[in-house]
Amino acid sequence: MFPGLKKTKYIELDTQSYFHEHPFEKCPSCKEILVQKQLRDNLKVCPHCEYHFRLTAAERLTQVVDEGTFEEWDAELTSSDPLSFPGYMEKLKKARESTGLKEAVVTGYGEIDGEPAALAVMDSHFMMGSMGIVVGEKIARAIEKALDQGLPFIAFCASGGARMQEGMLSLLQMAKVSALLNKFSQARLLYISVLTDPTTGGVTASFASLGDIILAEPGALICFTGPRVIEQTIGQKLPDGFQRAEFMLAKGFIDLIVHRKSMKATLAKLLRLHPRGDRSARSRTEFHGA
C-alpha cells in the first residue's frame, strides 16, 4: 500500500499470521481481554474504556493517509555508532529485526482526504522512538522538502526523548530541527504537531512543542521528565492524570484532544482551513467554532 514499506517485516506484523500467534490483547487500562482482529478494526482503541493503544508507523499511515498516495522519503538512512557505545549496535540490530524499520521515524509525502502534506511519523516500537542523529536528519529533510514544495508539515510524535547512546550528537538534533521550523514559520507554512503516547524528553522540549496547532490523542503522556522521576525527586505524590493530554489541555499546552477515529477528518479540516499552508488564511477560533 505504501511504497518503501509494504514489503517489510514491519507491515507483516499486521497480517493474519500475527493474529494467529497473538489472538488476544489485554487492555492496560481496564484489563479486559480483547480479540486482536476486533481491536485492529476499532483502530486499536479499546471498545470498553477508549484506551488508545500505541500504533506502529505503518498503522498510523494506514489510518490517516489516503490509500496509494504515500511516498516515503530517505528510507535508506541508518544510524551508526559515533561514540562506540557498548551494546548500541546490538540494540539497533534487534530493533530493525523486530520492526522492519531502519530508524524510529518514517517521513514522506501523503494526502489526507485529498489534502497534500509532508509527514513525519515516529514509532515507539523502535528503541522507544528515541531521537538520534538519523531521526533528527530525516525530520529536518522532511521540513526542508515541505518548505521547497510549499507543503504543510505534520509530525506524529511518539518518543522517549533523545537517544543516550549518541550523547550530545542526539541533543544537537533538538536545535537543528527547531531552527528549521523557525524558517518554516517565517515562510508562513502550517506545522501541525500531533502528540501521542508517549511524547517525552528532548522531543517534547523541541519540535513537538512548536506546532502552530498542537493536537493530542486521549490519555497520551506528554512531558519532559516522567512523573515517577519527578515524584522521586520532590518526594511528593503527583495529582491524578498529571502530564496526560487532558491535564495539558486544561493548562493550555495543547489546542485540542482528538479521538483516533476523528484524527483523519480533523487533520483534513485543518488543512482545508489553511490553503497552501498559509497560517493567516483562518484562525484557530474559526476552527474551534466550525
Side-chain angles (χ1 to χ4, degrees), residues 4 41 82 114 232 239 263:
D41 291 343
Q232 291 173 347
M263 184 61 73

Side-chain angles (χ1 to χ4, degrees), residues 125-166:
H125 299 82
F126 192 109
M127 294 188 68
M128 192 42 70
S130 53
M131 179 176 61
I133 297 171
V134 171
V135 169
E137 181 64 18
K138 289 183 73 171
I139 294 173
R141 290 188 185 189
I143 296 169
E144 289 177 330
K145 288 179 181 179
L147 187 59
D148 291 341
Q149 299 176 29
L151 292 170
F153 176 61
I154 301 173
F156 286 91
C157 304
S159 178
R163 190 171 298 174
M164 69 174 188
Q165 291 90 346
E166 296 183 16

Side-chain angles (χ1 to χ4, degrees), residues 93-106:
K93 181 181 178 181
K94 183 178 180 180
R96 290 166 183 160
E97 290 175 348
S98 63
T99 64
L101 290 179
K102 293 184 178 179
E103 255 303 339
V105 68
V106 174

